[in-house]
Amino acid sequence: MVVYQYLKGRRSPATWFEEAKLNEAMQWLGRGYAPARRTWYDFRDRVGKAVDQLHKQVIENAIEQNVLDPEVGVQDGTSVAACASRHQMVNRETLQRRRQLLSDVIKGTNPPPEPLPGWVPPTDSGREDLADRMQTAAKILEERIAKNAAKQNGKRKDPSRIQVSLTDPIAPLGRDKMKVFRPLYTVQYVVEPVSRLILSYGCDAAVTDTGTLIPMVDKTQQIVGGRLKTMMADAAYCSILDLRDCADRGVELLAPVQANSFTEKKKQSQANQQIPRDEFSFDAEKNRYRCPSGHELSYCGRERKQRHGERTLWESRYRCDPVHCVSCPLAAQCLRPGSSSRMVKRLEGQELLDAQREKMSEPEVQSRYALRGQTVELGFADAKAHRGLSRFHGRGIRRARAETGLLVLAQNLLRIDRLQRDSLNSREPET
Ligand code: SF4
């Protein structure tokens, strides 16, 4: 009954309750069963783990029936608005002030202002509930502030601009596809490109796709019994750590290498563009670069660079002797204004990105990779246009995950039905 409701784009347990009483299809599916409204909500809250198991069974059956060959997966992600108001996001100062006022109202100590602000719930149970959420929000906000403080100079935000949602504190804040700043979750799909069945899915408290590739590879391998050999994705999933982790797992990653787009745009907008690092050749044996003028850039130190999930990479620096640079005819295109010598940086594992860039330019790889764009986006388009996945219905990551699982189950069952019908229709008639 719930899968049918998801196919119709109805994700509210209150609507399922009404439908079970009034919709003939629901009455037929439930053989007249019409649970109480509370039962539908309870079911939505406890169905998460069962959905994971059902999803695994659906994929295993599809593999057994040769509907699906799980050797290739295509991954992509999309942001989905959390069930939280974008007008109730507060910084540390506002949160402390509101906690104090709410505590005064609950305990009846310091006389609260009259009338009470609109955000204070009218009932005692509502106030207790908000106090709990504020406590969670305060903890999460402190974690965000500490994470921000650990960032490098230049990437750090003013702590007063770091906020948390009071309706769904776990949901991170970011810009959705319409560029609206709000609490949201990121949904990941791994789709098999021929059958277009969703092999695995994920829903994370994250605003970007960074760091989701390897967890999805592992999850997919668990579902398909380690048969995944190639994963296709876009440039957001192709970092040095992703390439290294895929190689460790024996999975080929087909994804283009992207220069940091923000940095590239910034560089292109600068009137005085530097000769790019790609025009310098690297000698791994001697650990040095050679510049377009033929001079050496020798190693002059390294520093640790943070990457997703507390991981780090060394970044080495190489500098040319100022004696060469000052008299060089290319100095105007190579040096920054006011600089006397050129420095280039190289990340540990850069050779993996260079090899990937070369591999992705091969025509055979490009024709295989062309499959990617035609598949995974269709799943998200169907989910958002026909199944109502523009915003989660339930609050919190646990409900968001359960909703994603139910949606994927509905989409896969519909797809299997289509594939079976297509296969029956394509058979030659016996007479
Ligand atoms: S400016 Fe220096 S690093 Fe750049 S090409 Fe000339 S000598 Fe080489």
Side-chain angles (χ1 to χ4, degrees):
M1 291 163 88
V2 171
V3 166
Y4 170 73
Q5 290 295 309
Y6 265 79
L7 285 176
K8 295 289 173 191
R10 301 179 195 124
R11 292 178 303 112
S12 158
T15 309
W16 306 342
F17 168 67
E18 292 294 330
E19 288 275 307
K21 287 192 294 183
L22 303 173
N23 184 325
E24 279 187 10
M26 285 286 276
Q27 287 167 357
W28 181 82
L29 286 166
R31 286 144 175 83
Y33 179 54
R37 191 184 164 104
R38 181 71 255 165
T39 310
W40 285 113
Y41 276 95
D42 287 346
F43 177 77
R44 195 269 310 269
D45 286 351
R46 62 187 159 81
V47 74
K49 279 192 181 165
V51 170
D52 285 346
Q53 286 164 11
L54 284 170
H55 169 76
K56 192 164 186 265
Q57 280 173 24
V58 167
I59 296 299
E60 283 169 353
N61 284 346
I63 294 171
E64 267 173 35
Q65 291 168 17
N66 290 327
V67 174
L68 161 72
D69 179 3
E71 288 197 357
V72 181
V74 181
Q75 181 175 350
D76 204 358
T78 189
S79 59
V80 178
C83 177
S85 167
R86 64 190 173 88
H87 302 291
Q88 288 195 25
M89 302 186 301
V90 294
N91 63 10
R92 184 197 256 164
E93 191 191 341
T94 310
L95 181 59
Q96 281 171 353
R97 202 176 54 241
R98 289 194 181 187
R99 282 187 84 189
Q100 184 59 51
L101 194 145
L102 186 67
S103 164
D104 290 345
V105 171
I106 290 172
K107 290 177 189 159
T109 48
N110 298 327
E114 285 293 342
L116 283 173
W119 57 264
V120 177
T123 62
D124 287 347
S125 62
R127 288 170 186 172
E128 295 289 348
D129 183 43
L130 180 58
D132 288 347
R133 260 185 289 135
M134 279 183 167
Q135 193 178 356
T136 312
K139 194 170 157 241
I140 289 171
L141 186 59
E142 288 309 318
E143 285 170 9
R144 286 179 192 170
I145 289 171
K147 206 170 165 189
N148 177 62
K151 282 185 181 171
Q152 296 159 6
N153 260 342
K155 290 192 174 175
R156 219 175 285 150
K157 280 188 354 188
D158 176 359
S160 67
R161 287 180 55 215
I162 298 176
Q163 296 178 312
V164 68
S165 161
L166 286 181
T167 28
D168 187 352
I170 296 169
L173 310 179
R175 294 200 182 274
D176 65 10
K177 300 272 180 198
M178 310 300 287
K179 307 288 175 215
V180 178
F181 190 68
R182 66 186 324 150
L184 47 82
Y185 290 108
T186 299
V187 171
Q188 299 290 326
Y189 277 6
V190 174
V191 176
E192 194 279 314
V194 178
S195 66
R196 300 214 313 263
L197 282 168
I198 300 161
L199 295 176
S200 65
Y201 60 88
C203 175
D204 301 304
V207 290
T208 65
D209 298 326
T210 311
T212 56
L213 179 78
I214 297 305
M216 289 306 292
V217 167
D218 291 344
K219 195 170 178 184
T220 309
Q221 290 291 38
Q222 199 195 353
I223 291 169
V224 303
R227 278 176 272 192
L228 181 74
K229 291 199 171 81
T230 304
M231 185 71 115
M232 296 187 201
D234 64 28
Y237 299 86
C238 189
S239 68
I240 291 173
L241 291 172
D242 289 328
L243 285 165
R244 200 181 274 174
D245 292 342
C246 278
D248 289 347
R249 286 162 173 78
V251 172
E252 181 192 25
L253 176 62
L254 289 191
V257 177
Q258 182 188 46
N260 182 330
S261 57
F262 176 73
T263 315
E264 283 301 305
K265 277 180 198 160
K266 203 170 140 192
K267 278 183 189 166
Q268 281 164 16
S269 67
Q270 285 171 351
N272 189 359
Q273 284 180 32
Q274 284 187 298
I275 296 174
R277 187 189 54 195
D278 297 351
E279 293 188 24
F280 291 66
S281 57
F282 183 66
D283 185 337
E285 256 182 43
K286 295 181 179 163
N287 190 26
R288 67 187 179 195
Y289 271 98
R290 191 168 289 281
C291 74
S293 283
H295 296 292
E296 278 181 11
L297 281 77
S298 45
Y299 174 78
C300 63
R302 62 178 189 169
E303 62 178 321
R304 279 213 176 266
K305 288 283 171 184
Q306 282 180 345
R307 289 295 179 264
H308 185 80
E310 312 290 318
R311 297 173 79 182
T312 56
L313 285 173
W314 285 110
E315 186 181 68
S316 302
R317 295 187 299 275
Y318 301 82
R319 192 175 279 284
C320 188
D321 193 327
V323 173
H324 303 307
C325 292
V326 169
S327 57
C328 175
L330 297 175
Q333 302 133 56
C334 191
L335 302 182
R336 284 226 173 98
S339 169
S340 60
S341 69
R342 174 70 190 259
M343 185 177 75
V344 295
K345 295 174 180 175
R346 184 180 176 85
L347 272 173
E348 172 194 355
Q350 179 68 40
E351 61 282 358
L352 291 173
L353 286 182
D354 296 341
Q356 180 77 359
R357 197 176 284 121
E358 203 166 303
K359 177 176 149 185
M360 292 305 292
S361 64
E362 291 167 14
E364 182 264 334
V365 176
Q366 282 182 351
S367 68
R368 285 168 66 203
Y369 185 70
L371 268 177
R372 191 199 80 87
Q374 303 159 13
T375 51
V376 71
E377 294 292 354
L378 292 174
F380 287 135
D382 176 67
K384 291 197 171 181
H386 304 132
R387 324 284 165 217
L389 188 72
S390 51
R391 180 185 165 111
F392 285 112
H393 184 271
R395 277 186 198 156
I397 182 90
R398 204 167 53 85
R399 287 181 182 139
R401 281 187 180 141
E403 283 187 41
T404 309
L406 285 166
L407 174 67
V408 168
L409 191 60
Q411 285 184 296
N412 273 349
L413 291 175
L414 187 67
R415 188 72 200 141
I416 287 173
D417 181 57
R418 287 262 155 87
L419 290 168
Q420 286 173 343
R421 281 175 200 226
D422 288 351
S423 134
L424 281 177
N425 291 342
S426 64
R427 276 186 207 156
E428 291 285 324
E430 285 177 10
T431 53

